[in-house]
Amino acid sequence: MQRRRFLMGMAAAPLLWHANDARALDNGLALTPPMGWNSWNCFRAEIDEEKILSIAEAMVSSGMKDAGYEYVILDDGWQTAERDSGGRIQPNSVKFPGGMNALSDSIHALGLKFGIYSSPSYTSCEGLMGSRGHEQRDADDFAAWGVDYLKYDWCKFEGSEAECRAAFELMRDCLAKTGRPIVYSAHDKCTEGSESGGLPWIREVANLHRVSPDIKDDWNRMLECIDAGVELYEFAGPGYWNDPDMLEVGSFGKDLTERFTRRGYRAMTLNEYRTHFSLWCIASAPLIAGNDLRCMPPDIAAILTNPGAVAINQDPLGAQGRPVKTRDGVQLWFKPKSGERSCAALAVNRGDETASFSLDLEALLLGPGRYAARDVWTGETFALDAEGLALNGIEPHGCVLLSIEPAE
Ligand code: GLA
């Protein structure tokens, strides 16, 4: 039924992909999925001025900035557990002796943007200061610090779903009142498991919304995160994106504490990182790296900065790609792009044996004709027509990501 509705919509006109009428947050931001780096996966709460500045510099020198990454985002751990005597949220002065304005100026001087973290609760997940009861004061301070992106994280919010919604709406309005353009990233866990799942209302409130559990550097957990947003594809588009959490590409198991390794979690391989990135690209997910950019090996940089993969993610139509077919353990994803009869396709081998997949125009919801398919990871180009295209030898947990354009 779901698939039938999907096919009918596509056959009529690709733009019907956005079947939902609720408007996305109209702040003119995040017209394509935000790209940047966040401190949590790499450092947890152990962040400081020196680390963040060296990461920002590495974002430029590694080629990440040129590839499109722009936000440097402090996650939990930048703030103290108490407000100052004037009731203001304050940075931990041991970790950030220069203060937030100096840090923000240095990030901006590199041509990058500055992001910060807070919570609609009294405290953050780390037990540090949240914004509850001080929303406008905090939003004003964030704006005065030159903040360009706020991650607003549900942590420890006590209250009903309606109160939770009101808390996220309140911060949206406070940010708007500052007059500064600030991308608003919401993690509204208070509606988790509820019938609405936070949608569609959250798309009028925030530019992105976490739809998954916390990601880990582990193949199965990564799949759990991307799968969590699959059915929400029709809500995504310019101004609002479903967020399956930050990238683990190049984490090398850094976030796998013993609690997780005991449960069988293990760091992803290079092949799995490539598939992880391909999934985030075709699903129009925010591309927020979480690895240590200061010591990023070339093969990891080659994944995160692949121009073909990033272009698929940043396509201005803003459709969220989704799986359309699974055969022999290979899942085929399809994403329409802005050019006429132009799309992206991703074949993911979720199984443990090498597999093949035969791609056909019908599976890709493409009309008859001749197409050129470019494999963004190998650079090879293939002809695709009514005969179809055989994708052979897809390694276990590997993938083929294709950018497809009409050949005429
Ligand atoms: C939650 C979020 C994470 C991170 C931590 C910080 O777990 O889901 O992304 O922000 O809080 O404490």
Side-chain angles (χ1 to χ4, degrees):
M1 188 60 195
Q2 183 76 21
R3 181 164 145 71
R4 194 172 136 73
R5 187 166 57 119
F6 168 75
L7 284 168
M8 284 167 59
M10 286 312 300
L15 283 174
L16 287 182
W17 192 267
H18 304 302
N20 193 273
D21 289 338
R23 280 185 311 114
L25 174 60
D26 190 16
N27 62 1
L29 301 172
L31 299 181
T32 58
M35 295 175 68
W37 177 91
N38 171 299
S39 54
W40 187 250
N41 288 355
C42 187
F43 299 123
R44 290 297 187 260
E46 303 306 312
I47 44 176
D48 60 45
E49 201 169 277
E50 210 181 296
K51 280 180 187 159
I52 299 301
L53 277 175
S54 56
I55 289 281
E57 281 158 11
M59 193 184 258
V60 178
S61 60
S62 63
M64 291 282 282
K65 180 186 170 207
D66 286 345
Y69 295 83
E70 55 176 346
Y71 295 98
V72 176
I73 305 160
L74 301 182
D75 206 281
D76 208 355
W78 65 269
Q79 68 288 53
T80 58
E82 304 288 340
R83 290 181 174 267
D84 71 8
S85 53
R88 300 170 84 142
I89 197 163
Q90 34 178 356
N92 180 321
S93 60
V94 175
K95 294 170 162 182
F96 295 93
M100 286 296 127
N101 280 109
L103 179 63
S104 162
D105 286 350
S106 306
I107 290 172
H108 288 136
L110 291 165
L112 300 170
K113 291 184 174 158
F114 179 43
I116 212 163
Y117 169 100
S118 192
S119 170
S121 317
Y122 295 113
T123 57
S124 71
C125 289
E126 284 291 301
L128 301 172
M129 217 57 247
S131 291
R132 193 160 188 178
H134 300 266
E135 288 83 359
Q136 191 63 58
R137 166 63 68 84
D138 288 0
D140 289 342
D141 279 340
F142 297 156
W145 295 344
V147 164
D148 306 294
Y149 182 114
L150 174 67
K151 172 172 170 180
Y152 208 46
D153 192 8
W154 162 90
C155 287
K156 302 179 182 169
F157 186 91
E158 284 172 23
S160 63
E161 181 177 341
E163 287 165 326
C164 177
R165 174 174 177 172
F168 279 92
E169 288 174 342
L170 175 60
M171 184 49 93
R172 168 199 59 191
D173 297 341
C174 292
L175 292 175
K177 273 193 204 131
T178 70
R180 186 175 172 86
I182 299 177
V183 170
Y184 186 27
S185 158
H187 186 186
D188 141 57
K189 225 171 150 187
C190 42
T191 56
E192 203 173 66
S194 74
E195 209 174 304
S196 73
L199 283 160
W201 63 264
I202 196 79
R203 104 186 265 278
E204 296 170 45
V205 174
N207 295 115
L208 48 148
H209 176 219
R210 261 285 290 286
V211 295
S212 72
D214 281 16
I215 198 166
K216 293 278 165 206
D217 187 358
D218 175 77
W219 169 255
N220 289 318
R221 183 66 164 244
M222 179 277 290
L223 289 180
E224 197 186 325
C225 289
I226 197 72
D227 288 347
V230 155
E231 294 302 328
L232 309 177
Y233 69 95
E234 64 185 32
F235 297 105
Y240 172 79
W241 311 99
N242 294 309
D243 174 13
D245 208 359
M246 299 165 295
L247 294 163
E248 289 283 2
V249 177
S251 286
F252 300 117
K254 201 163 177 179
D255 63 355
L256 297 181
T257 52
E258 210 207 316
R259 186 158 72 93
F260 290 96
T261 49
R262 247 190 290 124
R263 280 157 63 186
Y265 284 55
R266 52 145 195 87
M268 285 184 266
T269 62
L270 194 66
N271 200 24
E272 291 170 336
Y273 283 147
R274 203 176 290 116
T275 301
H276 165 29
F277 192 69
S278 302
L279 282 163
W280 262 237
C281 286
I282 201 153
S284 303
L287 297 181
I288 309 293
N291 58 320
D292 192 340
L293 302 181
R294 300 168 305 178
C295 50
M296 174 167 57
D299 46 12
I300 294 297
I303 295 176
L304 290 169
T305 64
N306 180 289
V310 170
I312 289 170
N313 176 267
Q314 294 289 301
D315 181 78
L317 179 64
Q320 175 177 320
R322 57 164 291 173
V324 287
K325 190 179 227 177
T326 299
R327 200 193 303 131
D328 302 332
V330 178
Q331 185 183 47
L332 177 70
W333 289 63
F334 166 75
K335 169 176 170 159
K337 293 195 297 177
S338 46
E340 208 178 323
R341 297 162 69 222
S342 143
C343 72
L346 172 68
V348 180
N349 183 356
R350 295 177 70 133
D352 295 327
E353 307 288 334
T354 300
S356 298
F357 192 87
S358 159
L359 203 60
D360 57 81
L361 296 182
E362 198 202 335
L364 287 177
L365 315 175
L366 288 173
R370 291 177 56 244
Y371 297 84
R374 183 176 176 278
D375 181 328
V376 308
W377 295 118
T378 65
E380 281 173 282
T381 304
F382 307 97
L384 174 61
D385 55 22
E387 300 276 286
L389 175 63
L391 303 174
N392 295 320
I394 312 173
E395 288 177 44
H397 300 185
C399 72
V400 179
L401 178 59
L402 300 171
S403 183
I404 299 173
E405 308 288 343
E408 283 90 3

